[in-house]
Structure formats: structure tokens, C-alpha cells
Amino acid sequence: MPSEHVILDSRKSFIIEKGVAAGATIDCDKESLSGAVSQRACVYCGARVVLNPITDAVHIVHGPIGCASYTWDIRGSLSSDSEMYRNSFSTDLREKDIIFGGETKLAKAIEEVYSAYHPKIIFVYATCVVGVIGDDVDAVCKLAEQTYNLRVIPVKSPGFTGNKRTGYKMACMALMQLMGDEPHEEKIPYTINYLGDFNLAAEAWIIQKYLREMGIRVISTITGDASYSTLINAPKASYNVVQCAGSMTYLAKQMKKTYGIPFEKVRFLGVDETVKALRKIAYLVGDTKVIERTNALIEREMKKTHERLETYKKKVAGKKAAIYVGGGFKAIALIKQFRNLGMHVVVVGTQTGDSEEYAMIRRLTEDGTVILDDANPSELQKFAMDKQADLLVGGVKERPLAYKLGMAFIDHNHERKHALSGFEGAVNFAKEVDMTLNSPVWHYVKNKNKTI
Amino acid sequence: MLDYTPKEITERKALNVNPAKTCQPIGAMYAALGINKCLPHSHGSQGCCSYHRMHLTRHFRDPIVASTSSFTEGACVFGGKSNLVKGIQNVFNIYNPDIIAVNTTCLSETIGDDVGEFIRDSKVPEGKRVIYANTPSYAGSHVTGFSNMCKSMVTQIAESTMGEGNNGKVNIMPGFVEPSDMKEIKRIAEEIGMDYTMYPDTSDVVNTPNTGKYDMYPEGGTSVEAIRESGDAMATVALGKYTSEEAAFKLEHKCKVAPYVLKVPLGIKATDAMIFKFIELTGKSVPKALEKERGQLVDLMVDVHHHYHGKKVAIFGDPDIVTAMTEFVIDLGMIPKYVLTGTPGKVFAKDIYHMLENAGIEGSSVKSEGDLFELHQWIKNEPVDLIIGNTYGKYIARAENIPLVRVGFPILDRVGHSYFPVVGYMGAMRLIEKISTAFLDKYDQECADEDFELVM
Ligand code: SF4
Ligand code: SF4
């Protein structure tokens, strides 16, 4: 079955097999082929993903209804206060709006939001159609800001103007617009902003707990559990710490330029990365007390975690994993985590990985591992089966595919129900790997792909 | 708390809050999956296609594939012709379907792509087909998209080859229902011994068995050949005004096949009507098995009628489902207090009010093109005992502590809907079980100790 799948010539440069195929580099960050069953999303999707966790904001999707419907509360970002962001607002453009323009409707929609909720901040997402009919969304937003004395920020995210990555950038630009261009020379010592954690399953809170113990205060988590007031104070932080590099590096760079905040990239996925990240932050602040407290924390947590991981390791070691995730950095962290559990990574694919990340992936993987960019389901199927993977890590659309193939599955996307960050996350991850790999259900799945 | 709906009702003209509908292409995609070996293709940017697949995947928990024209800025300026022509070629090369069903998106519609012409200029391998439907989401909803793709099956595939004669078959157009429902309707037709063609038919396409391998084209779905021959049928039974009527009328226009438009067979009355129509068309009699099922349904209704009689209920979702559901709920002695659909359409409210009037029920609110914010406001001002609708009703249900029975599309947080029908007598029994259980579960959890009983 799998070998029948044709790999298109034009796709070949996006795929390499480590140590086997010669290709020196892997193609990435290119447009998808027309007619492919691509797993990729659009600019709006990227922008919405980043901004949605701003909890007290009203997110108005300016466009026909679908773009709003599909993004209604589909991410599990948690909030410590407002739940406004979990509602769905749209201008629901109709035929006559397309013909005569949607500006009046947008202005009216903002007015209606204002009178119902008096929010402090509204984001207006311009989707594909709006991009084409040419509504002056900037002007409508500006006027509304003056009229109602609140922030109304346009997010230019017509889907066709690029892929998810472009959307991340648009979101960062919207955030910069919110924070303003005042330089903010004065910094509050021992404070950071924590960028690129969406507080899925309370992940940002776990990290905040560590930082508190270290003696560092988080001014703003961007964007999980963010709010208007924490965001506008963000320029006062002494440092920026970036977890999801794919979505937030641009913002960190802009904040460095505008407010002079230095930044560091970290990863809290897996034990090794978590320890490295905590040390990095401690040394960034450079205070001996902070460093001492950090070392104590690490020692205590490492011991605890190590013991708990060992029990799982016994149950999963030797199994084979296939990875298909959005960003390259996540793939890298996952490779390390699987290695720590004694598992082999046999396939690694990403939607938006860049060449630097792919180089790192090549360094980390064993010979024979298939590495591919912008994979489609038939390619995933082919390689996962050829390489006899026992487990697939992926997102919404990959879950049923994995199950059909008799493969265990882990959601490392926005449908995850358990935190995967920090020490707790490393244990949760191992537990989930064990739970899905060792479920008795697989005894009932015929033709397991073990023997081809 | 998730409740951000103010009680005070103010008029809104421009803002949709918490929609009770979604967009056309997803409906078209679902309908297209009901053709055997069909790959749906979305002509527009990647985002839409990705969302549609994701949503269908979440609902059915099965892999849903569709290809996309992957528009970029260039396509928006110069039109999407080369994307589609190339796309079609690639799809046949890589994925080798029997048929591609193209749907447009808002974007390709807005820039004015003439998809029909593009397809005529494409190279389609011998024996393969490409059909298309225009599905701009700024008109209608996902329900309209489903209807449009069904219409395209008729206009672009069906043919009459027998002159005046007919092949003795009956076409069944099932409407936007679950694969389980389509299967149940087929079972009923088979019990009667009716020769039929159902299209679209998503059973065994989006609820496939786990076999340890993945098949991009599962065995289910109506064959292109069967759809082609539907032009020779003796009649079409179209279930659901919003989803099936237009296709049936088109087939009458094109091939002179007599159309009969009925409700989706949800509830006892609508099921009766469908079965009588089948009997009338075939000249057969009602089979014992169905008679028995009906008797069992009635028995169940009698057994627990005190659980639901007089209870007030809010029903929302797709117009065909909601209309049939309202009829059933009235038959159960319940009061449909609020009836709402997000899909635009004038006859909806008229039909519902008509049913309410016949039942002597006053003081209900009915609305098409509404949203769940509005429904929530109504409920805040005068509560109901039960909500019947899709998963999105859970926000209101939680805020107001009202049980929710999940019926319709999408259901993202429960399983079973793709395997257990809600149509037919068996489906009606299942609905009664759900409704009754919803009331009793709540009672058991909340009642005073002295009211807590073993036998209920
Ligand atoms: S642009 Fe149109 S087709 Fe695409 S998701 Fe939005 S509403 Fe649906
Ligand atoms: S219309 Fe554009 S913005 Fe909306 S989902 Fe589709 S591609 Fe994305």
C-alpha cells in the first residue's frame, strides 16, 4: 500500500533521508503546490493563534462567517481573569457588503461591541475577502479609537498574503502597535516578559511558578493569559524571554529596537531544555541570589522528575516515533525528549521550520530518519509506515490518520489537555506516551504496521 | 465564568456574536465526500481548506482530505486559472481519484474566477470527471454549500438515457445528516424492498472501520455511474427543503424525474411521511419489521411521556434538522419556546410558526439568520428546560444550568453521532432516550435527599 504513493518530483527537494539521500539542504518556507493536500493554514490563522489568548480583548473577524466560526474557542489557552476571548465576533459579511464595501458594517460592529461590553481593546482581523475588496480597515479602526476612547487595532491578515508565519508577524506588529513607540528607558529590575507561551493547559503558569521561586517577576506573558494592562506595561520589563521562537522572535526584536529590552530564546519542553532555560534566565539577571535559588530549584525538581521518568522509560524504550508539528523548534525539543525516553525518532516533519532548524534536526537525528517540510498526509503515511513508527506526534488532522494506521498518537498542538512544559510537562509527556503506546486497544487493530 | 451575554436585549445590525452557522465550502466538501472515490478540491487560499478539513475531522474523528488551489497574492491579481488547471492535473497525478469536486471560496468568488471555464480548459484524464459548485460564503451558510454541491451532481453528472421510460429506481437525497442517518434511511428503503440510489451518501466514507490501514478513498459513497443514472429514476425523494429541494427540482427540470420534497425523517411524523412516500412510489406494503419498530417507539413514548411533557425547549442549528426536530418535540408534548437557525431563509420561520399554530402553542420566538448570543439572551429573559442543538450550545447550557442534547453539526465534544442515527423510528427512540436521560440525570444530581429514588 504505502509504496504505491507517488512522491511528486517537485516535492522531492523537500524531503531527505539522513545519511542516505545525498541532498545537502532541504527546501523549506516555499509556497505549497497547487492541488496538494497541504496541512498548512493561512495568515489569518497565524495571527489569530497568537493574539487570541489576550483574554480581555474582543476579537472581531472582519469577513464572511467561516473564518470566525472555525476559530471560535478552539484553543485551550487558560485565563486567570476575563473569558471574553472565548466568544466569537464577526461582521458576517453578506453579498451587498462585498459589492458596496464592508467599512460601514465594520464601524457599526465596533459600535455594537462597544455599547455591549465597553472593552479596553478590540482587534479587527482583515481576512481574504476584505483584502480583495479593499476596505480601509486602518481608517475605520482609527476613527473608532477616537470615538470610543479605547484601543482598536487592525490585524492585516488576508489569508492569501503568505502562510501562518506571515500571520505571526502581523500579530507581532499589532502587539507593537498596542504597546506604542515610547522608548521606556526606565526598566524595573528582576522583571521579564515571557513570550511565546499560549498557556495551553496552564503551561505559562507552571513557568511563572518557577520564576517566582527564583525571584523574578513576570510583567507580561505574551500571549497566554495576557491582558490589556499587562501588555501595555510590557515595555518596562528588563528582559524578554522567548519560548516559541517561530511566532515571537519578531516581536522580541522589535521590542529590543524600540524599548531596548534584550532577549533570550529558551525552550521549556523536556527536562534538559527546561534546566537550560532556567539557568539561562538566572544568568541573564545575573544576581547571585537568583542563581542560588535557581540551582536549588533545579536540583530538587530534577531528582523528583528523574525518578518519575524512569518508571515510564521502562515501558516505552525502544519504540519508534514520527513527528509532524508546526514549528521547527518544537520538533527539536521533541526529538530530545524521545531520546531521553530511550525511543527512536524515525520521521520528522514541520509546517514552518526554517533552514537553521532543519540543520539542527539533521544533527540530532539518527541515520535513516526521514526529514520533510510541508508534508501531506500521503507522504506522512508512506514514511511513517515504511519506517514502522509506533507513535505519531501531530495536530488535529493527523490524529485520525495515525489511529487508522494503528499508531499511537500525541497531540502536541493546541488540543493538548495536559501541560507539556517544564518538569511537570516532561512527566506528563512521558505519561501520555506510555498511555497511548501501551493501550490494550492496539491489540484489536488489525494489520499493525509492524510487519510490512 | 464564560457568560458574557447581557440580559438586556438591544438591536444589533452588523455584529454576529457566537454564530449558529458556518460557511458554504464545508457543506460542499461534506456533500462531495458522499461520492465514491471523490477528492474535494477547494479553489481559494490554503487557510479555508485547512479550516474546513479540521472542522470535519473534529466532528467525524476520521481523516478528511481535500486539496486546495493554494492562492497567493498573484492568484488574487491575475485570477486563479493557472492554479486550478495545474491543481487538477496534480490531483489526478498524485491522488488519482475518479472524480474531483471543486468548490469555490469567498476569495475566488470575489475576484470573479469562472471555475466552469477553467475546468473546461483543464486536461481531465479519460474516464475521470471534474464537477464544481459555486459556494461563496457571503450568501447562505454551510447548508447552502451542501445544497449547491448536490445541485451540481445533478446538473453536471445526471443524465436521462431511456427517453420516456424509467429504470424503476427511486433517488433519495438525504440532506446534511450524519453518515449513520444516511445508512438508516437506506436500511428503511431496503426493508421496504425499494430499488434506490442515495446521493450523496457519506456512510462508510467518514465513519470508516479501523482496519489498520488508511484508505484515501473508502468503499462508501455513491458511484459516479449511479449518479449519472439517477436521471432515469422514477422519482426523487428529497429530504429537507434547504439541503435537497433544489437538486431534486433541477433533476426534474433536466431529466423529468418527479420530485417529492419531505422533511428530514427525524421524529415519528416525518418518518411516517417518508415511509408512506416510499410505499406509494413502489406499491409495496409496510414491512412487518418497520411496523414493529414504530410500535416500539410509540411504546417508549408512552412509557416516559411524563418526563418531558410540558417542558420548554430551545432548538437551534440547521434549518432542515431544526424544522423536523420542532415537529417531533411538539409530538412529544414539549413546547418549542425558542427556535433558531443561523442560516438565512424566509420560509423557515413561516414553517415553524405554522406548526406551532397548529399545535396551539403561543409565545414562542422563531428566527432565521440568528446567532447564539441572541438565543442566550432569550433564555436569560425566560429560561427553558432543555436545549437541543450542536456542541456550541454548551456555553449557554453551562451558564444557565440547562441540559443540552447534542443533535446537528458540528458535534465536537461527544462521540457516537456518526454511528447511531437520529432519523427513522430507531433514531426517534434514541432521541427520546437522550432527552429523558438528560432530564433525569439533572434531577438525580440536584434533587433533595428525600426525593432521590431508585425507580423513576
Ligand atoms: S473565506 Fe469564506 S470560505 Fe474561507 S473560511 Fe472564510 S467564510 Fe469560509
Ligand atoms: S478566507 Fe482567508 S483568512 Fe479566512 S480562512 Fe480562508 S484563507 Fe484564511
Side-chain angles (χ1 to χ4, degrees):
Chain A
M1 203 32 217
S3 36
E4 284 169 22
H5 287 263
V6 194
I7 302 301
L8 266 199
D9 278 344
S10 49
R11 282 280 309 147
K12 284 186 178 146
S13 60
F14 293 83
I15 304 165
I16 55 167
E17 194 166 345
K18 174 152 181 210
V20 181
T25 52
I26 182 167
D27 263 359
C28 57
D29 211 8
K30 294 236 167 93
E31 284 163 14
S32 298
L33 193 70
S34 175
V37 178
S38 168
Q39 305 294 82
R40 280 179 168 170
C42 65
V43 181
Y44 163 70
C45 177
R48 181 71 193 255
V49 157
V50 170
L51 296 174
N52 195 62
I54 302 172
T55 58
D56 55 356
V58 166
H59 301 266
I60 301 182
V61 183
H62 185 37
I65 197 69
C67 319
S69 278
Y70 304 121
T71 45
W72 177 7
D73 202 26
I74 52 163
R75 292 180 61 96
S77 303
L78 297 184
S79 166
S80 49
D81 190 14
S82 175
E83 305 263 12
M84 181 58 90
Y85 68 119
R86 299 182 64 181
N87 290 288
S88 170
F89 299 90
S90 163
T91 48
D92 187 7
L93 292 183
R94 318 300 304 170
E95 208 142 19
K96 67 172 196 312
D97 307 314
I98 305 295
I99 299 165
F100 299 112
E103 287 171 26
T104 6
K105 196 167 192 191
L106 176 60
K108 184 93 185 109
I110 295 171
E111 182 196 319
E112 287 171 359
V113 162
Y114 175 76
S115 55
Y117 301 107
H118 295 278
K120 290 201 192 75
I121 174 167
I122 298 174
F123 288 102
V124 175
Y125 301 81
T127 60
C128 279
V129 171
V130 172
V132 171
I133 62 176
D135 279 1
D136 190 347
V137 176
D138 283 335
V140 176
C141 292
K142 203 175 236 161
L143 187 67
E145 286 205 331
Q146 288 157 5
T147 317
Y148 310 113
N149 189 30
L150 80 168
R151 300 303 309 274
V152 185
I153 299 192
V155 188
K156 285 182 213 86
S157 49
F160 59 82
T161 51
N163 58 29
K164 230 170 153 176
R165 252 183 128 89
T166 322
Y168 296 154
K169 187 169 166 194
M170 293 301 150
C172 292
M173 283 160 75
L175 285 167
M176 282 307 292
Q177 195 177 333
L178 174 67
M179 292 187 273
D181 43 23
E182 297 272 307
H184 285 278
E185 301 295 325
E186 289 288 299
K187 301 292 173 212
I188 309 171
Y190 301 104
T191 60
I192 66 162
N193 295 311
Y194 178 43
L195 274 55
D197 189 319
F198 302 104
N199 202 27
L200 303 175
E203 288 176 341
W205 293 338
I206 291 176
I207 308 307
Q208 259 176 299
K209 191 184 67 191
Y210 300 153
L211 294 169
R212 243 194 325 266
E213 187 177 332
M214 289 155 61
I216 295 167
R217 185 163 73 86
V218 176
I219 292 192
S220 184
T221 46
I222 305 176
T223 57
D225 198 22
S227 64
Y228 174 75
S229 58
T230 61
L231 285 172
I232 54 163
N233 283 319
K236 297 177 193 157
S238 296
Y239 309 97
N240 274 344
V241 172
V242 182
Q243 147 103 333
C244 172
S247 60
M248 283 285 149
T249 309
Y250 181 77
L251 181 70
K253 282 185 181 157
Q254 290 305 108
M255 288 178 82
K256 186 172 171 200
K257 210 159 90 194
T258 314
Y259 319 122
I261 305 177
F263 72 90
E264 271 300 337
K265 290 187 195 175
V266 297
R267 292 181 203 121
F268 283 105
L269 292 175
V271 180
D272 303 356
E273 300 277 352
T274 301
V275 168
K276 249 206 306 209
L278 292 174
R279 291 233 161 89
K280 215 173 190 179
I281 297 171
Y283 283 103
L284 194 65
V285 178
D287 179 290
T288 41
K289 283 255 170 50
V290 170
I291 295 171
E292 265 166 38
R293 282 192 291 256
T294 307
N295 286 337
L297 182 151
I298 291 172
E299 200 179 324
R300 184 192 71 217
E301 292 295 326
M302 280 286 275
K303 193 158 166 279
K304 226 167 51 187
T305 313
H306 189 71
E307 275 165 25
R308 295 171 68 188
L309 283 181
E310 276 308 302
T311 44
Y312 293 114
K313 193 172 169 178
K314 281 194 203 103
K315 298 199 245 176
V316 301
K319 303 269 189 180
K320 294 179 190 141
I323 298 172
Y324 187 63
V325 288
F329 100 95
K330 200 192 271 176
I332 293 167
L334 280 165
I335 295 169
K336 290 186 184 169
Q337 268 181 291
F338 281 123
R339 245 186 6 200
N340 280 350
L341 288 170
M343 292 173 64
H344 307 285
V345 175
V346 290
V347 179
V348 187
T350 84
Q351 283 179 44
T352 57
D354 61 26
S355 46
E356 214 177 293
E357 290 162 339
Y358 278 116
M360 171 74 106
I361 290 171
R362 292 183 74 164
R363 270 200 300 280
L364 284 172
T365 43
E366 302 166 31
D367 275 355
T369 302
V370 174
I371 305 169
L372 69 176
D373 183 62
D374 187 25
N376 56 50
S378 42
E379 289 169 3
L380 273 183
Q381 172 182 8
K382 174 181 161 42
F383 293 119
M385 295 196 56
D386 284 359
K387 296 285 165 188
Q388 303 181 16
D390 300 292
L391 173 140
L392 175 74
V393 185
V396 190
K397 283 173 294 208
E398 286 81 51
R399 179 194 297 269
L401 177 69
Y403 288 168
K404 283 282 187 281
L405 299 176
M407 265 188 267
F409 180 81
I410 288 204
D411 194 314
H412 210 296
N413 221 324
H414 45 246
E415 274 186 13
R416 57 188 187 248
K417 306 289 178 229
H418 307 286
L420 297 177
S421 280
F423 299 105
E424 284 94 327
V427 176
N428 283 342
F429 180 77
K431 190 171 160 186
E432 270 192 65
V433 170
D434 168 40
M435 192 161 68
T436 181
L437 266 179
N438 292 317
S439 163
V441 79
W442 304 119
H443 298 313
Y444 294 94
V445 178
K446 280 189 268 168
N447 317 329
K448 273 210 71 178
N449 68 24
K450 293 278 157 27
T451 47
I452 303 179
Chain B
M1 254 310 269
L2 259 168
D3 180 8
Y4 280 78
T5 307
K7 188 172 172 186
E8 189 204 341
I9 297 179
T10 48
E11 207 203 336
R12 277 177 299 132
K13 283 213 171 80
L15 185 69
N16 184 311
V17 189
N18 300 343
K21 62 170 177 181
T22 184
C23 65
Q24 283 214 39
I26 198 172
M29 200 179 272
Y30 180 50
L33 289 167
I35 305 176
N36 182 249
K37 292 195 87 176
C38 175
L39 189 71
H41 179 93
S42 168
H43 185 54
S45 351
Q46 285 175 359
C48 309
C49 186
S50 147
Y51 279 133
H52 302 145
R53 288 178 55 211
M54 195 143 67
H55 224 57
L56 289 171
T57 301
R58 286 190 165 115
H59 176 87
F60 292 111
R61 295 172 196 254
D62 248 32
I64 304 291
V65 282
S67 52
T68 156
S69 288
S70 298
F71 271 33
T72 53
E73 248 143 356
C76 295
V77 179
F78 303 112
K81 180 164 181 175
S82 67
N83 290 53
L84 190 59
V85 172
K86 190 100 197 72
I88 287 173
Q89 202 185 337
N90 282 336
V91 167
F92 281 123
N93 278 343
I94 319 171
Y95 305 111
N96 194 27
D98 280 357
I99 173 169
I100 300 174
V102 180
N103 66 260
T104 57
T105 64
C106 300
L107 181 58
S108 51
E109 284 290 328
T110 308
I111 61 173
D113 274 1
D114 184 345
V115 175
E117 187 218 294
F118 298 173
I119 291 171
R120 279 188 293 279
D121 289 347
S122 298
K123 259 199 254 111
V124 178
E126 179 129 350
K128 307 273 176 178
R129 304 191 73 126
V130 181
I131 61 169
Y132 73 96
N134 291 99
T135 48
S137 297
Y138 39 82
S141 73
H142 59 294
V143 171
T144 327
F146 184 92
S147 165
N148 282 339
M149 188 51 87
C150 294
K151 225 162 53 185
S152 298
M153 292 176 199
V154 168
T155 54
Q156 295 164 47
I157 304 178
E159 278 170 34
S160 63
T161 57
M162 304 179 70
E164 291 304 292
N166 73 59
N167 62 12
K169 285 189 182 177
V170 173
N171 300 319
I172 306 174
M173 294 177 178
F176 198 140
V177 292
E178 294 284 341
S180 48
D181 296 324
M182 298 189 187
K183 194 169 170 200
E184 178 67 2
I185 295 167
K186 288 195 291 185
R187 185 187 67 93
I188 292 172
E190 277 156 27
E191 285 287 354
I192 292 170
M194 184 172 91
D195 212 355
Y196 67 89
T197 302
M198 174 182 281
Y199 70 95
D201 178 5
T202 60
S203 57
D204 297 321
V205 181
V206 296
N207 62 348
T208 55
N210 195 309
T211 57
K213 63 174 202 256
Y214 165 65
D215 233 329
M216 196 156 163
Y217 307 109
E219 64 179 35
T222 321
S223 70
V224 174
E225 190 49 29
I227 298 176
R228 197 179 68 81
E229 286 170 4
S230 71
D232 290 326
M234 69 158 130
T236 302
V237 175
L239 303 170
K241 240 184 226 176
Y242 278 79
T243 43
S244 308
E245 182 177 83
E246 283 201 53
F249 285 180
K250 284 273 179 219
L251 192 60
E252 181 193 28
H253 184 78
K254 188 177 177 188
C255 305
K256 302 198 175 52
V257 181
Y260 299 95
V261 183
L262 306 177
K263 287 196 184 75
V264 170
L266 194 151
I268 186 163
K269 214 174 257 161
T271 303
D272 285 350
M274 181 184 78
I275 289 174
F276 285 139
K277 184 51 73 186
F278 288 174
I279 297 294
E280 185 193 307
L281 289 170
T282 53
K284 311 233 177 187
S285 52
V286 180
K288 271 264 165 342
L290 292 181
E291 228 172 80
K292 195 157 132 195
E293 278 169 27
R294 189 178 193 278
Q296 287 166 328
L297 165 61
V298 173
D299 195 59
L300 191 61
M301 284 166 72
V302 171
D303 284 344
V304 293
H305 69 277
H306 53 287
H307 290 168
Y308 46 71
H309 191 91
K311 294 279 204 300
K312 282 187 270 182
V313 49
I315 307 169
F316 75 91
D318 299 347
D320 288 338
I321 303 292
V322 170
T323 305
M325 197 70 214
T326 305
E327 183 177 71
F328 186 37
V329 152
I330 291 172
D331 271 339
L332 294 177
M334 297 170 79
I335 300 160
K337 181 77 189 144
Y338 309 120
V339 185
L340 180 141
T341 180
T343 297
K346 291 201 177 62
V347 287
F348 175 77
K350 218 175 85 196
D351 284 350
I352 303 286
Y353 276 126
H354 188 67
M355 285 193 275
L356 292 169
E357 204 178 304
N358 281 347
I361 297 167
E362 283 170 10
S364 297
S365 306
V366 181
K367 184 158 186 188
S368 65
E369 237 175 315
D371 56 24
L372 295 189
F373 179 87
E374 184 155 28
L375 181 68
H376 195 174
Q377 289 193 312
W378 289 347
I379 292 175
K380 273 188 188 295
N381 283 283
E382 200 186 328
V384 290
D385 302 295
L386 178 73
I387 303 171
I388 298 177
N390 61 40
T391 286
Y392 290 112
K394 74 192 281 180
Y395 297 101
I396 306 176
R398 182 175 160 91
E400 308 304 328
N401 188 25
I402 299 169
L404 167 68
V405 168
R406 286 162 177 81
V407 176
F409 176 85
I411 296 173
L412 309 171
D413 60 343
R414 295 290 187 274
V415 293
H417 46 90
S418 40
Y419 296 106
F420 306 114
V422 290
V423 302
Y425 300 130
M426 301 295 276
M429 280 191 249
R430 179 164 171 251
L431 281 173
I432 289 175
E433 186 213 355
K434 278 177 168 267
I435 292 171
S436 163
T437 303
F439 285 131
L440 298 185
D441 277 349
K442 183 169 193 285
Y443 184 83
D444 272 344
Q445 269 165 27
E446 295 178 350
C447 71
D449 274 354
E450 57 268 34
D451 295 326
F452 187 75
E453 290 177 281
L454 182 72
V455 181
M456 291 166 94

